[in-house]
Amino acid sequence: MDEAMNSPARFPADFVWGASTAAYQIEGATTEDGRGPSVWDTFCAVPGNVRDGDSGEHAADHYHRYNEDLDLIADLGLGSYRFSIAWPRIQPTGSGKPNQKGLDFYRRLVDGLAERDVRPMATLFHWDLPQELQDRGGWENRDTAERFAEYAEICFDALEIRDWLTINEPKTVVDCGYRFGSHAPGFKDDARAFVACHHLLLAHGLASRVLHERHPGRRIGPALNLHPTYAADDTPEAREAAHHQDGLENRLYLDPVFKGRYPEDTLRWISERGPMADHILDGDLGVISEPVDVLGVQYYTPVFVDGKGERVFLHERAQAEWLEIYPEGLHDILVRVQRDYPGVPMVITENGLATVDGVDADGRVRDERRIAYLRDHLNAVHRAMEAGARVEGYHVWSLLDNFEWAEGYSQRFGIVHVDYTTQQRTPKDSAFWYRDVVKSGELR
Ligand code: FCB
């Protein structure tokens, strides 16, 4: 190995180090202070939807313990904390007058971050749609996008936050929520899924416009889970299948936002399955392509497909079986976004690994696999930056173990362990490792 390979990867001094969470996954207190029901409360109540019948009712009790959690963030030396705002706390029925107590919670959180010199990055929608909006058609109803812009305006005006994210992973809502039925609202219907897709993107654009009009100088963008897609073998069939899959994974979301048009091949495929195109009204793509100030990139897994378009796994899989461990994919997707959608600053808003962790008798949580995963992925980020990708920062998923959607509490993604009986927090070895990386700016 030459000298360069041995020297540690060093990140720029202004690189932002952070951690991510989402409201429904950590807050608990689902009926407190006027919060209305969300689609996830409804979904969890149906037996069989979530492993072990779990729900976010108590989660990590962050709603009551946020001060302790803010201290953890400060102890790790983080510069940024990405969290989400629960729409049903702000507007319990999804429209109308804001609920003061809901806003107050996030005000306290933002003040607490400021006191600790940590920058907030707020996601407006991390899947907890007010149930009443779902009852009126949810994301299939264009009005939900309008309601979202109204909710966003309330948040923008009430909270002193510079960096905003609109929709967390629209693709996961489309795929898991509407195509595969594994997430709320639990449908299995391609025709409905892509109508919802268009309205999710429209909601993103409408809210971005509101921020730009009302609060110039602040920044906003979507948080997209990008899955670099590869042919699993060297046949023309596999290459073609990979291109098609790339449309569904990446271009369907990136192209309308950055280029103001849907990818033709993907739109054709969708149109054979349902009426999405009928819902694209004049002017919509102009709204959706409202300039993005910061793109949230979330990366967990690549997708390799064979000539039949089937996903195949060529590398080790994690406890979360959809997650194929392939750090190179993060490098590739960052470089690709930089190449195909130039000029946008990127922030990694999620990246992480679930492992089966427990607290040992000596009080330590030895999560070596997570450390290896994070190190390899940060190395990939560093290489992408050397290749010209404009990456401003990195947020590990997740600060805390939490409610992992349909997997309930069975998958722990946190760098801090949570005992759900006592709600005790224990930083894992990965948290101490991350703290050292953050402090030195170097990967060893
Ligand atoms: C992402 C979600 C996040 C978490 C991780 C593991 O898709 O945005 O809430 O569940 O996966």
Side-chain angles (χ1 to χ4, degrees):
M1 260 196 232
D2 65 19
E3 187 64 10
M5 305 224 12
N6 282 325
S7 64
R10 167 170 280 287
F11 284 82
D14 59 356
F15 193 78
V16 179
W17 299 96
S20 264
T21 61
Y24 191 73
Q25 295 180 274
I26 61 165
E27 286 178 358
T30 48
T31 54
E32 239 167 277
D33 290 342
R35 178 189 179 278
S38 80
V39 291
W40 269 93
D41 300 287
T42 310
F43 187 76
C44 293
V46 178
N49 275 352
V50 176
R51 190 182 289 267
D52 301 328
D54 287 340
S55 80
E57 188 180 350
H58 303 296
D61 196 33
H62 169 78
Y63 192 74
H64 300 117
R65 292 166 198 262
Y66 67 93
N67 260 314
E68 186 186 337
D69 295 337
L70 291 173
D71 286 341
L72 280 170
I73 293 169
D75 290 346
L76 291 170
L78 302 183
S80 173
Y81 175 52
R82 171 186 178 239
F83 59 95
S84 83
I85 299 172
W87 188 348
R89 288 199 195 282
I90 306 302
Q91 290 177 303
T93 59
S95 58
K97 203 165 104 316
N99 169 33
Q100 272 313 319
K101 288 194 167 161
L103 283 175
D104 287 346
F105 171 69
Y106 296 104
R107 283 207 185 99
R108 291 196 297 275
L109 190 69
V110 172
D111 288 349
L113 287 166
E115 281 159 23
R116 292 164 179 85
D117 221 8
V118 180
R119 265 203 246 157
M121 183 176 221
T123 312
L124 287 161
F125 179 71
H126 203 125
W127 307 347
D128 41 1
L129 187 75
Q131 180 59 41
E132 194 156 320
L133 292 185
Q134 186 61 45
D135 297 341
R136 287 192 255 139
W139 290 110
E140 290 166 75
N141 182 350
R142 189 180 172 90
D143 186 56
T144 297
E146 302 284 349
R147 298 284 67 74
F148 178 74
E150 183 183 279
Y151 150 68
E153 184 170 326
I154 295 170
C155 296
F156 297 153
D157 291 353
L159 300 169
E160 268 309 313
I161 297 174
R162 187 189 63 151
D163 285 347
W164 294 86
L165 296 161
T166 52
I167 308 282
N168 180 73
E169 301 190 351
K171 179 176 63 191
T172 308
V173 179
V174 172
D175 286 354
C176 297
Y178 282 85
R179 298 186 65 204
F180 315 138
S182 54
H183 281 188
F187 301 140
K188 290 186 187 166
D189 187 334
D190 279 4
R192 298 167 74 176
F194 294 106
V195 174
C197 174
H198 180 64
H199 293 147
L200 281 156
L201 289 167
L202 187 64
H204 154 77
L206 289 170
S208 303
R209 271 205 175 161
V210 172
L211 185 80
H212 289 149
E213 278 163 20
R214 295 180 73 85
H215 299 279
R218 293 191 187 178
R219 309 195 306 167
I220 194 160
L224 301 180
N225 54 327
L226 300 174
H227 290 159
T229 304
Y230 308 92
D233 56 60
D234 200 18
T235 59
E237 290 79 14
R239 281 198 295 276
E240 197 179 311
H243 181 72
H244 165 69
Q245 191 66 28
D246 176 60
L248 289 170
E249 301 285 356
N250 306 309
R251 287 178 288 120
L252 178 57
Y253 304 91
L254 290 164
D255 283 10
V257 168
F258 290 104
K259 298 184 170 169
R261 56 170 191 266
Y262 282 109
E264 259 174 50
D265 58 321
T266 313
L267 194 57
R268 208 176 316 117
W269 185 89
I270 290 171
S271 295
E272 285 160 14
R273 284 158 184 80
M276 174 192 178
D278 301 342
H279 294 262
I280 308 172
L281 307 188
D282 280 355
D284 282 3
L285 282 153
V287 173
I288 294 172
S289 57
E290 174 73 11
V292 168
D293 312 301
V294 59
L295 170 65
V297 174
Q298 323 211 138
Y299 174 78
Y300 292 94
T301 190
V303 173
F304 288 87
V305 290
D306 65 16
K308 294 197 215 82
E310 302 286 333
R311 183 169 182 191
V312 289
F313 290 86
L314 301 181
H315 306 88
E316 187 193 355
R317 291 164 80 166
Q319 184 204 9
E321 290 190 340
W322 51 270
L323 200 164
E324 178 173 3
I325 301 179
Y326 188 62
E328 199 57 26
L330 180 50
H331 165 273
D332 292 355
I333 199 70
L334 292 170
V335 169
R336 184 259 179 109
V337 170
Q338 186 68 48
R339 185 195 65 207
D340 291 353
Y341 309 91
V344 191
M346 294 181 268
V347 171
I348 294 165
T349 40
E350 286 186 27
N351 172 239
L353 183 72
T355 51
V356 184
D357 312 313
V359 184
D360 292 341
D362 63 357
R364 264 178 67 186
V365 182
R366 293 173 165 77
D367 59 339
E368 301 87 11
R369 279 189 84 202
R370 178 170 294 99
I371 295 176
Y373 176 97
L374 296 177
R375 180 188 287 119
D376 291 347
H377 283 74
L378 280 165
N379 252 313
V381 174
H382 189 261
R383 277 186 289 110
M385 290 168 71
E386 284 183 328
R390 246 175 101 189
V391 185
E392 284 183 3
Y394 174 92
H395 297 75
V396 64
W397 182 271
S398 178
L399 177 68
L400 302 172
D401 286 341
N402 59 54
F403 174 76
E404 176 51 19
W405 310 112
E407 299 300 334
Y409 296 97
S410 67
Q411 294 184 359
R412 295 176 174 274
F413 273 90
I415 55 171
V416 175
H417 181 274
V418 176
D419 176 327
Y420 295 111
T421 313
T422 60
Q423 290 296 349
Q424 179 160 349
R425 274 78 166 134
T426 308
K428 304 179 189 178
D429 282 0
S430 59
F432 297 118
W433 175 85
Y434 191 50
R435 184 192 60 191
D436 292 346
V437 171
V438 170
K439 190 157 181 224
S440 65
E442 263 180 25
L443 272 184
R444 286 180 184 275

